[in-house]
Amino acid sequence: MATINRNYLKLPGSYLFSTIGRKVKEYGEQNPEADIIRLGIGDVTRPLAPSIIQALHSAVEEMSKEESFKGYAPDLGYEFLRDVIAKKDYQERGCQIQADEIFVSDGAKSDCGNIQEIFGVENKIAVCDPVYPVYVDSNVMAGRTGEYDVASQRFYGVIYMPCTEENGFMPELPKEVPDLIYLCFPNNPTGAVMKKADLQRWVDYAREHKAVILYDSAYEAYISEEDVPHSIYECEGARECAIEFRSFSKTAGFTGLRLGYTVVPKDLLVEGVALHSLWARRHGTKFNGAPYIVQKAGEAVYSLAGRKEVEEQIAYYMGNAKIILEGLQAAGFEASGGKNAPYIWLKTPNCMTSWEFFDMLLEKANVVGTPGSGFGPHGEHYFRLTAFGSRENTIRAMERFKSL
């Protein structure tokens, strides 16, 4: 008789953004005249840059000819993309990452969820609270946690590191030592960033305790301040304790194309085994590679013209972030973020729960955001807005906030 993976039954309700989508859909059906502005899910709205479009067209043309047709991609990704990633994203920043330590994939979300497969189920994880839900949910599915406690809104067996207004939304080194540490900076959902000296403390901590840091730097392209590292490998010793995830989705608008990569240094050993070899085995067995045409589009991001165009798009979104942050503050809301990340983290008024505020905002202003409690218990009484909307809708949304 077939049985199910009962770990899935530990998960409370549906995925956060699925719940948001359902509630907005129901409201729209009941109020067809409503002009809904969506600033909830972090999906981009600007069209792909011209250099990227040109690369896509060129690659499609190649696929139409026998002499240039491409089938399955190499396991790690095409060398033309891995080489430029290693040079532009790492070596030019002083990070000694080689092309064969880069694994090209269909997105950082997939890799963040799948990386746990190369670790034993007895490993204990530590996550920030609030946290991107994929880190926790994927470990629950794997059986690495206990049951969900409704009262605390936490899973037994997970080390939660509170990120609050009092500590500047920065996690503190946990007293209970974890085996796997998930960090995301610039942070989703709070928009906070970690300075290099602080990140070095985490690297030193991980090396001391033989833990592995799983570092999500999907938003590094939005960093504008000095002394904020774009990669964990800017820290001494990080090659021995850290895996890093990167994404083209927010950097270059690839949410509809799907492209990302994971860096696993060959120096990273657990129980004497190179994690690079384990991830290579998993990657080759379960993944057939990102499409050639998408990888060619990714290569175009690093061209002189492509980089300039992508930087202009990032500036556009960060202009939206400035409008949101200043608009919320002018309307009397407490808000942070939006300076090194495309997310703004606001405190709900009058101690409203985050879902109460979600409902009020949808009904009274026809604006959609993300309830902070969906990211963890310390996200309660907070709310996330994204800067990925159009400029027009961003301005209109702030006008509606002022009228609340």
Side-chain angles (χ1 to χ4, degrees), residues 62-129:
E62 287 184 65
M63 298 295 275
S64 71
K65 301 175 182 178
E66 184 175 352
E67 63 271 19
S68 55
F69 173 80
K70 300 292 190 299
Y72 290 127
D75 283 355
L76 273 66
Y78 284 98
E79 287 188 11
F80 63 76
L81 181 57
R82 291 186 290 115
D83 286 345
V84 73
I85 288 172
K87 179 181 179 182
K88 297 294 184 179
D89 286 349
Y90 293 100
Q91 293 166 10
E92 289 186 358
R93 290 190 178 276
C95 305
Q96 298 308 306
I97 297 297
Q98 304 305 313
D100 62 356
E101 295 176 312
I102 295 166
F103 296 80
V104 177
S105 72
D106 59 354
K109 179 178 181 179
S110 300
D111 289 353
C112 286
N114 293 329
I115 194 69
Q116 50 78 28
E117 291 186 23
I118 66 174
F119 297 98
V121 294
E122 68 277 3
N123 282 279
K124 178 162 285 191
I125 69 168
V127 297
C128 294
D129 177 14

Side-chain angles (χ1 to χ4, degrees), residues 17-37:
F17 297 107
S18 299
T19 302
I20 292 172
R22 175 182 55 78
K23 289 175 73 72
V24 174
K25 181 175 182 292
E26 290 174 354
Y27 180 82
E29 290 173 348
Q30 296 167 8
N31 302 272
E33 77 290 346
D35 176 20
I36 299 174
I37 298 175

Side-chain angles (χ1 to χ4, degrees), residues 96-384:
Q96 298 308 306
I97 297 297
Q98 304 305 313
D100 62 356
E101 295 176 312
I102 295 166
F103 296 80
V104 177
S105 72
D106 59 354
K109 179 178 181 179
S110 300
D111 289 353
C112 286
N114 293 329
I115 194 69
Q116 50 78 28
E117 291 186 23
I118 66 174
F119 297 98
V121 294
E122 68 277 3
N123 282 279
K124 178 162 285 191
I125 69 168
V127 297
C128 294
D129 177 14
V131 63
Y132 180 48
V134 170
Y135 309 151
V136 176
D137 289 0
S138 58
N139 280 281
V140 174
M141 294 170 178
R144 201 168 282 111
T145 74
E147 299 290 334
Y148 182 73
D149 178 58
V150 176
S152 67
Q153 301 178 53
R154 293 177 169 183
F155 286 94
Y156 291 110
V158 174
I159 298 172
Y160 290 88
M161 303 179 291
C163 297
T164 65
E165 183 179 3
E166 288 71 27
N167 62 20
F169 302 109
M170 285 288 111
E172 298 174 4
L173 297 173
K175 295 179 180 178
E176 180 183 0
V177 178
D179 303 299
L180 305 176
I181 304 168
Y182 285 84
L183 295 177
C184 173
F185 291 97
N187 185 257
N188 177 17
T190 67
V193 291
M194 188 176 287
K195 295 295 181 72
K196 185 175 180 179
D198 295 323
L199 185 56
Q200 184 66 58
R201 290 176 59 235
W202 281 92
V203 170
D204 295 342
Y205 175 90
R207 294 179 68 194
E208 177 185 356
H209 296 289
K210 297 183 178 180
V212 175
I213 296 174
L214 304 174
Y215 195 74
D216 185 352
S217 61
Y219 303 97
E220 63 81 27
Y222 291 83
I223 294 171
S224 61
E225 294 181 328
E226 297 294 329
D227 199 30
V228 176
H230 288 250
S231 169
I232 195 169
Y233 301 117
E234 294 178 40
C235 295
E236 183 179 352
R239 284 183 53 89
E240 300 171 13
C241 68
I243 293 173
E244 182 166 285
F245 309 96
R246 290 281 186 98
S247 170
F248 286 78
S249 289
K250 308 310 192 311
T251 300
F254 277 41
T255 54
L257 292 183
R258 307 307 307 144
L259 188 67
Y261 65 86
T262 293
V263 179
V264 187
K266 293 182 179 179
D267 298 351
L268 179 49
L269 307 179
V270 172
E271 296 184 300
V273 177
L275 294 186
H276 183 278
S277 63
L278 295 187
W279 186 241
R281 188 68 172 87
R282 191 266 174 206
H283 203 68
T285 299
K286 294 191 174 185
F287 185 62
N288 266 336
Y292 172 73
I293 59 174
V294 177
Q295 293 197 48
K296 288 299 288 185
E299 180 188 32
V301 172
Y302 295 92
S303 68
L304 288 176
R307 177 57 64 189
K308 181 176 183 295
E309 292 160 359
V310 166
E311 288 176 351
E312 289 172 354
Q313 286 194 346
I314 291 171
Y316 177 92
Y317 290 131
M318 291 311 293
N320 285 349
K322 186 174 187 291
I323 290 169
I324 294 173
L325 182 62
E326 293 179 352
L328 289 173
Q329 292 172 341
F333 290 88
E334 294 183 42
S336 60
K339 294 181 179 179
N340 296 281
Y343 297 119
I344 296 84
W345 191 239
L346 68 101
K347 184 178 288 188
T348 60
N350 304 319
C351 291
M352 296 177 70
T353 69
S354 54
W355 279 107
E356 287 173 344
F357 186 70
F358 174 91
D359 290 335
M360 184 196 76
L361 192 62
L362 178 59
E363 293 169 7
K364 291 189 176 182
N366 292 167
V367 174
V368 177
T370 306
S373 61
F375 298 102
H378 278 90
E380 185 57 278
H381 304 299
Y382 284 90
F383 202 75
R384 192 194 76 174

